[in-house]
Amino acid sequence: MTLKLGFIGLGTMGLPMARHMVNRGFKLKLYARRAEVFEGKAKELINQGAMPSLSLSEVVAGVDVVITNVTGTDDVESILIGQDGAIHSASPGTLFVDHSTIDPARTMHIASTLREAGMDFVDAPVSGGVWASEEGRLIVMQGGHPDACERANQVIECYAKMITRVGDAGHGQIAKLSNQIAQTITIEGVAECLIFAKNLGADPQAVFVAIKDGMGGSQMMSLMAPKMIAEDFDAGIEARLHAKDVGIAIETAKAQQLPLPCLEFVASQYQTIMDQDLGTRDSSILFDLLRRLKER
């Protein structure tokens, strides 16, 4: 592959993405804020030829595309356009692709700032979780100029099974937050239907089997119901990440004076989880929250 890549954000989602790029033959530079990552979970990639970088200026130097996959809006802004951000070291024409889930309006500002510096930007948040990242089967929602998105796809197709350009910069984030609204409200609905069945004396597993292929069933029910029934709250999708995304969606809706009553309730449930220091547990813990409320 002739494209030279820089990758920022070697977390549970980012590390498998980087691995797919290396396996596809891309020349890859890596950056992590903690250098010990290169002697730990990213060591395998270094052994395969990826190059560790100790600064943002180093990871963006001489590359064609820079991919970021970090947690929050502040992180992305700081990394890309902050005082010590990549914008100050990257060459004109560099394409930035961000897989984080962040605020749409601030995403548009990032894109505009990079564009004024002669660089391109695509926001490309992902859905599917860690397993989809590991298997290279992520769902990607894109915002950006069609030419920039087409260029980005040369890389993204390494780890995605579906890529959809939604519109201009920021629209990928709008799509991702729309996904998170439907997703988190569905998880709460699954938790409530199972706690309802259990408290009325029915077998939750039997109820799940009875309804999962009907109109009330969904991919999220099939994922979450078994965990809720088994009271297995080990993280697959960490509640803190859903809490973060729901918070962004709520604030975005408020800015438009748009009431989202179901989401506002779900946000309060996630806030309770965060207040109880359970944010690193799986989002299926919404079921446990309902169970404990019943026992009070």
Side-chain angles (χ1 to χ4, degrees), residues 116-245:
E116 290 171 3
M119 303 169 194
D120 292 319
F121 177 83
V122 171
D123 59 301
V126 301
S127 181
V130 175
W131 73 268
S133 183
E134 291 281 359
E135 295 184 5
R137 294 178 57 79
L138 289 165
I139 303 296
V140 180
M141 296 146 271
Q142 281 185 333
H145 189 278
D147 291 343
C149 289
E150 184 175 347
R151 188 176 166 203
N153 289 348
Q154 298 176 67
V155 180
I156 296 173
E157 65 182 12
C158 292
Y159 42 82
K161 73 172 182 178
M162 182 178 294
I163 307 168
T164 303
R165 179 182 175 270
V166 181
D168 293 332
H171 289 211
Q173 298 297 343
I174 294 171
K176 176 60 184 290
L177 293 177
S178 299
N179 178 79
Q180 300 305 77
I181 291 169
Q183 189 176 122
T184 53
I185 290 174
T186 299
I187 297 171
E188 174 68 20
V190 173
E192 291 189 14
C193 87
L194 292 177
I195 205 75
F196 175 83
K198 184 174 182 177
N199 276 272
L200 268 68
D203 177 1
Q205 176 64 30
V207 171
F208 167 57
V209 171
I211 69 176
K212 68 182 180 67
D213 295 319
M215 296 298 286
S218 64
Q219 290 184 51
M220 188 52 68
M221 173 179 280
S222 294
L223 177 66
M224 288 290 179
K227 291 181 70 65
M228 293 176 182
I229 292 165
E231 298 187 14
D232 169 19
F233 307 121
D234 288 342
I237 306 173
E238 289 189 15
R240 67 182 180 88
L241 298 177
H242 272 154
K244 184 260 301 182
D245 295 350

Side-chain angles (χ1 to χ4, degrees), residues 177-186 188 242-243 245-253 258-270:
L177 293 177
S178 299
N179 178 79
Q180 300 305 77
I181 291 169
Q183 189 176 122
T184 53
I185 290 174
T186 299
E188 174 68 20
H242 272 154
D245 295 350
V246 165
I248 295 172
I250 290 287
E251 291 305 311
T252 301
L258 175 66
L260 297 177
C262 290
L263 189 66
E264 289 167 7
F265 173 74
V266 170
S268 71
Q269 294 288 82
Y270 275 106

